[in-house]
Amino acid sequence: MIKTFTYEALPIRVRFGSGAIAEIGAELERLGARRALVLTTPQQAGEGQRIAAMIGGASAGVFSGATMHTPVEVTETALQALSAAAADCVVSLGGGSTTGLGKALALRTGVQQLVIPTTYAGSEMTPILGETQDGRKTTIRSLDVLPEAVIYDVDLTLSLPPGLSATSGMNAIAHAVEALYARDRNPVISLMAEDSIRTLSSALPILVHEPRNMEARSMALYGAWLAGCCLGTVGMALHHKLCHTLGGTFNLPHAETHTIVLPHAVAYNASAAPEAMASITRALGAPDAAQGLFDLVRALGTPRALADLGMPADGIEMAADLAVENPYWNPRPVTRDAIRDLIGRAHAGERPVAASRAEEAA
């Protein structure tokens, strides 16, 4: 029997395919954009210049200062560049850092957004913005930050290094996983989420060894799009709360943090979300959801310990305190001691441990 649910489609246009970037002019024209400022990270400034050249007379230049966790001070600098260029649109080229900056500008000015993802971050499909100020990351959900259009060009992901492909893909899987046990989940999103996990978990091991495999690249980008749809439509839970806390507090790399924490968050919630765990195990082809995710991370050869990302051991207690402040809704109650143990295992790179009945009852 299908339970009562609510499904709301987000108003966003998507172009997907090899060579889709050739349609950038048509997409900007469709938006009515007259001057478009291209946003990138410093590492992708050259690619940004190429996109600006494709835009031609509608280009308002390139701002290449985007950085992870969307620091408010970077947004303020970008606001000055946006104003000086008299731009009415931003073209965000890259991953979550650049997309986040575009959203922050849209929140403050109402500028339109065209996003061109080159990773599997998924934030281009969401009305969610996370910003960092004074070492604290805060998150808002508002249609004011939802991009108007997205171009997924598989060709632009071919240069994504194997390690970043792996962690970016695991970040996308995390979005799909939490959608399966979100408070406002629905059958449509659950179908997307399971297919996303299945597609990404099949493609990522191939990309680690064959980074220019076009079929695997197409599968991974498709899976990431599905994961972004999931993240944008339903709520987040413990995993995202932990990653936002750890990333914002200790300036840890976003995708790598998601990769390490995910198996532990799933183990924490396993007994409280049996239907979600069944979907994950089907998608992975594994007997256990948390262990299957941990084994996938190990097979991809990415870091498995928060210590390897630079998180200090004496930060575990602080992280546990912060994680239980204003917690996101979660299928299993969030308790400080249990969260401290979870973070401790993730810090050490240990296998995830499912909660005992005594811990659940505490």
Side-chain angles (χ1 to χ4, degrees):
M1 179 178 176
I2 298 177
K3 299 177 182 177
T4 300
F5 67 91
T6 299
Y7 172 75
E8 184 173 355
L10 295 174
I12 185 168
R13 176 178 167 87
V14 171
R15 275 185 180 259
F16 187 105
S18 175
I21 191 62
E23 303 299 329
I24 186 170
E27 288 302 313
L28 288 173
E29 183 177 352
R30 183 178 177 277
L31 290 175
R34 295 183 299 276
R35 290 182 59 78
L37 179 66
V38 179
L39 308 177
T40 75
T41 61
Q43 295 79 12
Q44 290 187 296
E47 290 88 340
Q49 292 292 346
R50 184 172 73 87
I51 295 299
M54 292 181 67
I55 295 171
S59 171
V62 177
F63 177 85
S64 58
T67 191
M68 65 180 183
H69 304 309
T70 318
V72 170
E73 58 268 24
V74 172
T75 300
E76 291 172 348
T77 302
L79 278 168
Q80 296 174 12
L82 185 74
S83 176
D88 59 356
C89 178
V90 292
V91 176
S92 302
L93 174 72
S97 297
T98 309
T99 303
L101 177 58
K103 290 180 173 184
L105 294 174
L107 180 67
R108 290 162 173 80
T109 68
V111 68
Q112 295 192 96
Q113 303 172 75
L114 170 60
V115 184
I116 308 170
T118 60
T119 72
Y120 308 130
S123 59
E124 66 278 355
M125 293 303 300
T126 78
I128 301 168
L129 169 63
E131 296 185 283
T132 304
Q133 186 171 25
D134 300 327
R136 288 290 187 98
K137 189 167 187 175
T138 57
T139 303
I140 67 163
R141 179 182 285 263
S142 169
L143 289 177
D144 291 338
V145 304
L146 181 71
E148 280 74 23
V150 179
I151 295 176
Y152 287 103
D153 189 331
V154 179
D155 299 352
L156 299 182
T157 67
L158 287 173
S159 60
L160 194 62
L164 185 53
S165 296
T167 54
S168 182
M170 288 301 303
N171 181 16
I173 287 176
H175 303 331
V177 163
E178 288 227 306
L180 287 168
Y181 53 68
R183 176 167 50 181
D184 51 352
R185 63 190 179 277
N186 63 71
V188 177
I189 291 301
S190 293
L191 286 171
M192 288 185 175
E194 186 170 337
D195 198 28
S196 173
I197 298 167
R198 180 183 299 107
T199 304
L200 281 161
S201 63
S202 298
L204 296 179
I206 297 173
L207 293 180
V208 167
H209 301 290
E210 302 175 42
R212 298 190 68 83
N213 185 307
M214 279 297 291
E215 182 177 358
R217 283 289 177 197
S218 296
M219 290 171 58
L221 194 58
Y222 170 74
W225 169 64
L226 291 176
C229 291
C230 295
L231 178 65
T233 306
V234 298
M236 297 178 285
L238 173 66
H239 169 80
H240 281 84
K241 174 65 176 183
L242 288 174
C243 291
H244 292 162
T245 297
L246 294 166
T249 304
F250 303 105
N251 199 35
L252 303 183
H254 182 81
E256 289 86 343
T257 303
H258 276 270
T259 300
I260 292 168
V261 170
L262 181 60
H264 300 277
V266 169
Y268 185 95
N269 283 327
S271 62
E275 292 182 5
M277 299 304 127
S279 293
I280 297 167
T281 57
R282 280 197 304 269
L284 294 174
D288 179 85
Q291 302 303 325
L293 288 167
F294 186 84
D295 288 339
L296 175 59
V297 171
R298 184 171 61 177
L300 295 176
T302 60
R304 299 196 299 275
L306 293 173
D308 294 339
L309 304 185
M311 178 182 168
D314 60 7
I316 296 174
E317 301 295 338
M318 179 197 305
D321 290 337
L322 292 173
V324 297
E325 287 183 7
N326 303 313
Y328 299 172
W329 179 90
N330 195 62
R332 177 187 164 194
V334 175
T335 61
R336 197 267 180 198
D337 289 346
I339 295 302
R340 188 263 172 231
D341 292 343
L342 183 163
I343 296 172
R345 285 190 290 270
H347 184 270
E350 299 172 357
R351 273 194 169 274
V353 176
S356 67
R357 292 188 177 182
E359 289 174 320
E360 292 176 10

